[in-house]
Coordinates of all heavy atoms in Angstrom, one line a residue:
E273 N 13.6 -7.5 18.8 CA 14.2 -8.6 19.6 C 14.1 -9.9 18.8 O 15.0 -10.7 18.8 CB 13.6 -8.6 20.9 CG 13.9 -7.5 21.8 CD 13.0 -7.4 23.1 OE1 11.8 -7.9 23.0 OE2 13.5 -6.9 24.1
V274 N 12.9 -10.2 18.3 CA 12.6 -11.4 17.6 C 13.6 -11.5 16.4 O 14.2 -12.5 16.1 CB 11.2 -11.5 17.1 CG1 11.0 -12.7 16.1 CG2 10.2 -11.6 18.3
M275 N 13.7 -10.4 15.6 CA 14.6 -10.4 14.5 C 16.1 -10.7 14.9 O 16.8 -11.5 14.3 CB 14.6 -9.0 13.8 CG 15.5 -8.9 12.6 SD 15.4 -7.3 11.8 CE 16.2 -6.3 13.0
E276 N 16.5 -10.1 16.0 CA 17.9 -10.3 16.4 C 18.1 -11.7 16.9 O 19.1 -12.3 16.5 CB 18.2 -9.3 17.6 CG 19.6 -9.4 18.0 CD 19.9 -8.3 19.1 OE1 19.4 -7.2 19.0 OE2 20.6 -8.7 20.1
I277 N 17.2 -12.3 17.6 CA 17.3 -13.7 18.1 C 17.3 -14.6 16.9 O 18.1 -15.6 16.8 CB 16.2 -14.0 19.1 CG1 16.4 -13.2 20.4 CG2 16.2 -15.5 19.4 CD1 15.3 -13.2 21.3
M278 N 16.3 -14.5 16.0 CA 16.2 -15.4 14.8 C 17.5 -15.3 13.9 O 18.0 -16.3 13.5 CB 15.0 -15.0 14.0 CG 13.7 -15.2 14.8 SD 13.4 -16.9 15.2 CE 12.7 -17.5 13.7
A279 N 17.9 -14.0 13.7 CA 19.1 -13.8 12.8 C 20.3 -14.5 13.5 O 21.1 -15.1 12.8 CB 19.3 -12.4 12.6
G280 N 20.4 -14.4 14.8 CA 21.5 -15.0 15.5 C 21.5 -16.5 15.4 O 22.5 -17.2 15.5
A281 N 20.3 -17.1 15.2 CA 20.2 -18.5 15.0 C 20.3 -18.9 13.5 O 20.1 -20.1 13.2 CB 18.8 -19.0 15.5
G282 N 20.7 -18.0 12.7 CA 20.9 -18.3 11.3 C 19.6 -18.3 10.4 O 19.6 -18.7 9.3
V283 N 18.5 -17.7 10.9 CA 17.2 -17.7 10.2 C 17.2 -16.3 9.5 O 17.2 -15.3 10.1 CB 16.0 -17.8 11.2 CG1 14.7 -17.7 10.4 CG2 16.1 -19.1 11.9
P284 N 17.1 -16.3 8.1 CA 16.9 -15.1 7.4 C 15.6 -14.4 7.8 O 14.6 -15.0 7.7 CB 16.9 -15.5 6.0 CG 17.4 -16.9 5.9 CD 17.1 -17.5 7.3
C285 N 15.7 -13.2 8.3 CA 14.5 -12.5 8.7 C 14.6 -11.0 8.7 O 15.8 -10.5 8.6 CB 14.1 -13.0 10.1 SG 15.3 -12.7 11.4
G286 N 13.6 -10.3 8.9 CA 13.6 -8.9 9.1 C 12.3 -8.4 9.7 O 11.3 -9.0 9.5
A287 N 12.4 -7.3 10.5 CA 11.2 -6.8 11.1 C 10.4 -6.0 10.1 O 11.0 -5.3 9.2 CB 11.6 -5.9 12.3
V288 N 9.1 -6.1 10.1 CA 8.3 -5.3 9.2 C 8.1 -3.9 9.9 O 7.5 -3.8 11.0 CB 6.9 -5.9 8.9 CG1 6.1 -5.1 8.1 CG2 7.2 -7.3 8.3
L289 N 8.6 -2.8 9.3 CA 8.5 -1.5 9.9 C 7.2 -0.8 9.5 O 6.7 -1.0 8.4 CB 9.7 -0.7 9.3 CG 11.1 -1.2 9.6 CD1 12.1 -0.2 9.0 CD2 11.3 -1.5 11.0
D290 N 6.7 -0.1 10.5 CA 5.5 0.7 10.2 C 5.9 2.0 9.5 O 7.1 2.3 9.4 CB 4.6 0.9 11.4 CG 5.3 1.7 12.5 OD1 6.2 2.6 12.2 OD2 4.9 1.5 13.7
S291 N 5.0 2.8 9.0 CA 5.4 4.0 8.3 C 6.2 5.0 9.1 O 7.1 5.6 8.6 CB 4.1 4.7 7.7 OG 3.2 5.0 8.7
T292 N 5.9 5.1 10.4 CA 6.7 6.0 11.2 C 8.1 5.6 11.3 O 9.1 6.3 11.2 CB 6.1 6.2 12.6 OG1 4.7 6.7 12.5 CG2 6.9 7.1 13.5
E293 N 8.3 4.2 11.5 CA 9.7 3.7 11.6 C 10.4 3.8 10.3 O 11.6 4.2 10.3 CB 9.6 2.2 12.0 CG 9.1 2.0 13.4 CD 8.9 0.5 13.7 OE1 8.2 -0.1 12.9 OE2 9.3 0.0 14.7
V294 N 9.8 3.6 9.2 CA 10.4 3.8 7.8 C 10.9 5.2 7.6 O 12.0 5.5 7.2 CB 9.5 3.3 6.7 CG1 10.0 3.7 5.3 CG2 9.2 1.8 6.7
L295 N 10.0 6.2 7.9 CA 10.3 7.5 7.6 C 11.3 8.1 8.5 O 12.0 9.1 8.2 CB 9.0 8.4 7.6 CG 8.0 8.0 6.5 CD1 6.7 8.8 6.7 CD2 8.6 8.2 5.1
S296 N 11.6 7.5 9.7 CA 12.5 8.1 10.6 C 13.8 7.2 10.7 O 14.7 7.5 11.5 CB 11.9 8.2 12.0 OG 11.5 6.9 12.5
D297 N 13.9 6.1 10.0 CA 15.1 5.2 10.0 C 16.3 5.9 9.5 O 16.3 6.4 8.3 CB 14.8 4.0 9.2 CG 15.9 3.0 9.4 OD1 16.9 3.1 8.7 OD2 15.7 2.0 10.1
P298 N 17.4 6.1 10.3 CA 18.6 6.8 9.8 C 19.3 6.1 8.6 O 19.8 6.8 7.8 CB 19.5 6.8 11.0 CG 19.0 5.8 11.9 CD 17.5 5.6 11.6
H299 N 19.2 4.8 8.5 CA 19.8 4.1 7.4 C 19.1 4.3 6.1 O 19.7 4.5 5.1 CB 19.9 2.6 7.7 CG 20.7 2.2 8.9 ND1 22.0 2.3 9.0 CD2 20.3 1.8 10.2 CE1 22.5 2.0 10.2 NE2 21.4 1.7 10.9
L300 N 17.8 4.4 6.2 CA 17.0 4.6 5.0 C 17.1 6.1 4.5 O 17.1 6.4 3.3 CB 15.5 4.3 5.2 CG 15.2 2.8 5.5 CD1 13.7 2.6 5.8 CD2 15.7 2.0 4.3
R301 N 17.3 7.0 5.5 CA 17.5 8.4 5.1 C 18.9 8.6 4.5 O 19.0 9.3 3.5 CB 17.4 9.3 6.4 CG 16.0 9.5 6.8 CD 15.9 10.5 7.9 NE 14.5 11.0 8.0 CZ 14.0 12.0 7.2 NH1 14.7 12.6 6.4 NH2 12.7 12.3 7.4
K302 N 19.9 7.8 4.9 CA 21.2 8.0 4.4 C 21.3 7.3 3.0 O 22.1 7.8 2.2 CB 22.2 7.3 5.3 CG 23.7 7.5 4.9 CD 24.6 6.9 5.9 CE 26.1 7.2 5.5 NZ 27.0 6.6 6.4

């Protein structure tokens, strides 16, 4: 949510993913 709000305000940002999120992320798998 923070990433979406900040990006919507023009602030370059990204959420720091934990290992479970990284290993299950469909974009990273693709």
Side-chain angles (χ1 to χ4, degrees):
E273 292 170 328
V274 170
M275 180 181 69
E276 187 175 317
I277 293 166
M278 298 294 282
V283 177
C285 61
V288 176
L289 304 180
D290 63 30
S291 58
T292 300
E293 292 171 311
V294 168
L295 295 175
S296 63
D297 185 283
H299 301 288
L300 296 178
R301 286 190 162 272
K302 187 177 180 182

